[in-house]
Amino acid sequence: MPLVTTKEMFAKAYDGGYAIGAFNVNNMEIVQGITEAAKEVNAPLILQVSKGARAYANHTYLTKLVEAAIIETGLPICLHLDHGDSFETCKSCIDGGFTSVMIDASSKPFAENIEITKKVVEYAHDHGVVVEAELGALAGIEDEVQVSAEESHYTRPEEVEEFVSKTGCDSLAIAIGTSHGAYKFKPGTNPQLRFDILDEVSKKLPGFPIVLHGSSSVPQEFVKMINENGGNMPGAIGVPEDQLRQAARGAVCKINIDSDLRLAMTGTIRKFFNDHPDKFDPREYLKPARAAIKEMVKHKLINVLGCDGKA
Ligand code: G3H
Ligand code: 13P
Ligand code: ZN
């Protein structure tokens, strides 16, 4: 099976009340951990590559790893550019075999966001590639500084129809209280996504796929593993999984997860070195790290996204 776009995946996910997991990949063990989990539970997948991942691992290595995963699993897999920052980056991924790109011009003024997104959509659609765009800026805590979650940071539902009709984008990432990284909410507070905004957006865009970024739940077992083995991540808090499940039942068709992969991998490797200070063969510590990713992703596919058995 060749790489697929998200068109059919999202249509089925919307109707079926589940979401597709979009997991960030940076190396072979991460690709293997995620795809082995998806194969075991027969789930469709989006594997996404950031600009940083392309700079780290190289475009060709990453696309070939994903092609290898398709050969090994036979699953429908979409290869997606995460947070494309310009037309040129998107074009390079479209020309280089990706089946989906995100143009993230959400920090630009509304009219400029429309203009750049439209340009990417025209080129992508001419080449059979789908486009995710973003409206609104993710709020949260960065570098242990609280970025105040003012209304202006959230997506404005009154803007979404005009944005989608003028750009022709295929899916839309919105800001309803998730944020990137491992420090999403203030310790001691009650994390709560803005489902009122999600509801308004979905009413204005019936049947249209919505995307949530910053959706790691920051499993405390991995934070503990990191902290107990020489790390220092106090107050790392993520999005409650039951709220992600609720979003997946509605219009949210794609849920982005990266930090949880990093935590699983880092926690496992830290523990390995603490338990075996004499070992130095990378295969010995990457093997349990890959297994930890696999178990964590399986849990997400079944209990959070609800996309098991949907491939
Ligand atoms: O949203 C960002 C993703 O977690 C990718 O992170 O740019 O460090 O690869 P990165
Ligand atoms: P997390 O940092 O919550 O994993 O978000 C990842 C993401 O949104 C990638 O685009
Ligand atoms: Zn993101």
Side-chain angles (χ1 to χ4, degrees), residues 203-215:
K203 273 188 202 128
K204 289 186 186 292
L205 298 173
F208 192 80
I210 300 302
V211 178
L212 285 190
H213 281 246
S215 295

Side-chain angles (χ1 to χ4, degrees), residues 2-76:
L3 281 167
V4 298
T5 74
T6 49
K7 257 209 148 40
E8 197 183 326
M9 274 186 199
F10 285 169
K12 286 189 191 165
Y14 198 103
D15 291 343
Y18 61 91
I20 313 293
F23 299 96
N24 287 71
V25 296
N26 290 277
N27 67 16
M28 182 186 77
E29 285 75 13
I30 297 174
V31 171
Q32 289 177 330
I34 297 163
T35 55
E36 283 171 16
K39 184 175 182 179
E40 271 192 25
V41 303
N42 196 34
L45 265 184
I46 299 169
L47 296 178
Q48 56 188 13
V49 167
S50 69
K51 192 181 175 192
R54 287 175 90 220
Y56 170 75
N58 169 301
H59 179 99
T60 310
Y61 277 97
L62 290 171
T63 52
K64 294 298 168 193
L65 282 172
V66 173
E67 283 171 20
I70 291 175
I71 293 169
E72 285 298 317
T73 63
L75 290 172

Side-chain angles (χ1 to χ4, degrees), residues 24 48 82-83 102 104 132 134 138 180 212-215 256:
N24 287 71
Q48 56 188 13
D82 191 26
H83 294 284
M102 175 190 193
D104 182 358
E132 172 186 329
E134 179 164 334
L138 301 197
H180 291 110
L212 285 190
H213 281 246
S215 295
N256 285 13

Side-chain angles (χ1 to χ4, degrees), residues 151-164:
E151 280 303 301
S152 60
H153 286 163
Y154 294 106
T155 302
R156 285 188 275 274
E158 62 275 19
E159 290 182 347
V160 299
E161 283 168 291
E162 182 185 350
F163 185 84
V164 168

